[in-house]
Amino acid sequence: DAKTTQPPSMDCAEGRAANLPCNHSTISGNEYVYWYRQIHSQGPQYIIHGLKNNETNEMASLIITEDRKSSTLILPHATLRDTAVYYCIVRVGTNDYKLSFGAGTTVTVRA
Amino acid sequence: GAVVSQHPSWVICKSGTSVKIECRSLDFQATTMFWYRQFPKQSLMLMATSNEGSKATYEQGVEKDKFLINHASLTLSTLTVTSAHPEDSSFYICSAPGRVTDTQYFGPGTRLTVL
């Protein structure tokens, strides 16, 4: 699976949009971009995933660049409950469901 | 949405004892489940893949005789930490693939402390 690079931490003001970048310059054509988050002392939570088109759901939006070498997770209106470690994971979308977690980005939402 | 539970949520045991952790898929069946371990301030590390009706597949460096995995039914996988030692103290998390979307559903985790 392709390696991802994320900033170690970022702060965000409550009510503002949080834009979380992820670089995956070695991504191959059949690899998807997944985002999960882990609130302190809990299991990770799925947020969103995509292949090449931008995606949106009730939690977030995922913007993938045209060359697919980077992506941005957007939390449109961050709340204090969005404080968590956010993981960007790239892998092939097959029945092999293994996930390889990197260090992620620690997002702190401040009032 | 799909829910995965773990029991117990936390456990404290003496060195040398064995501890069993259960992972259940509550509203869906899972022929495959995954076990992760997370040390403080570190990321999740995949330990093994639990396969219903067959042997688990362990990641490199994980002792299969120490971390016994049993996936006896389509909704239950168990991880037994045998002869636990303080260095086994960690946060253990299981997950199962979703039915429809290509996602993983994670349990809330079990914090193991070995004295």
Side-chain angles (χ1 to χ4, degrees), chain A residues 34 36 38 91 97-98 102, chain B residues 38 43 59 102-104 106:
Chain A
Y34 290 80
Y36 285 79
Q38 185 180 24
R91 71 164 182 84
Y97 292 102
K98 286 185 180 182
Chain B
Q38 186 175 32
S43 190
E59 296 299 303
D102 186 19
T103 64
Q104 288 277 330
F106 286 82

Side-chain angles (χ1 to χ4, degrees), chain B:
Chain B
V3 176
V4 173
S5 70
Q6 284 184 239
H7 178 80
S9 56
W10 60 270
V11 56
I12 301 172
C13 71
K14 293 182 178 179
S15 184
T17 61
S18 295
V19 175
K20 179 185 287 187
I21 302 170
E22 294 184 346
C23 176
R24 293 182 186 273
S25 56
L26 296 184
D27 55 354
F28 66 105
Q29 294 180 336
T31 57
T32 301
M33 291 183 176
F34 299 93
W35 286 96
Y36 295 82
R37 180 168 54 180
Q38 186 175 32
F39 293 109
K41 298 189 183 302
Q42 294 187 22
S43 190
L44 285 80
M45 293 296 295
L46 179 65
M47 298 175 66
T49 302
S50 174
N51 304 299
E52 188 269 335
S54 64
K55 291 183 178 180
T57 306
Y58 291 82
E59 296 299 303
Q60 191 173 8
V62 177
E63 299 175 59
K64 63 179 181 180
D65 294 330
K66 181 170 184 62
F67 299 99
L68 301 179
I69 291 173
N70 183 23
H71 196 146
S73 77
L74 289 172
T75 60
L76 174 64
S77 174
T78 60
L79 168 69
T80 301
V81 183
T82 63
S83 186
H85 291 284
E87 57 266 29
D88 299 322
S89 298
S90 188
F91 193 49
Y92 291 87
I93 307 168
C94 69
S95 72
R99 279 177 302 183
V100 178
T101 56
D102 186 19
T103 64
Q104 288 277 330
Y105 295 98
F106 286 82
T110 297
R111 183 147 323 266
L112 170 64
T113 301
V114 185
L115 301 176

Side-chain angles (χ1 to χ4, degrees), chain A residues 46-49 55-61:
Chain A
Y46 165 80
I47 300 173
I48 199 167
H49 76 286
E55 303 287 344
T56 296
N57 62 21
E58 64 278 6
M59 290 183 67
S61 294

Side-chain angles (χ1 to χ4, degrees), chain A residues 6 23 26 33 35 42 44-45 47 51 53 56-57 59-60 63 67 70 88 90 99-101 106:
Chain A
Q6 299 177 251
N23 287 323
T26 61
V33 180
W35 284 84
Q42 297 183 22
Q45 176 189 25
I47 300 173
L51 182 62
N53 297 323
T56 296
N57 62 21
M59 290 183 67
I63 308 298
D67 63 9
S70 66
C88 170
V90 171
L99 290 175
S100 180
F101 287 83
T106 299

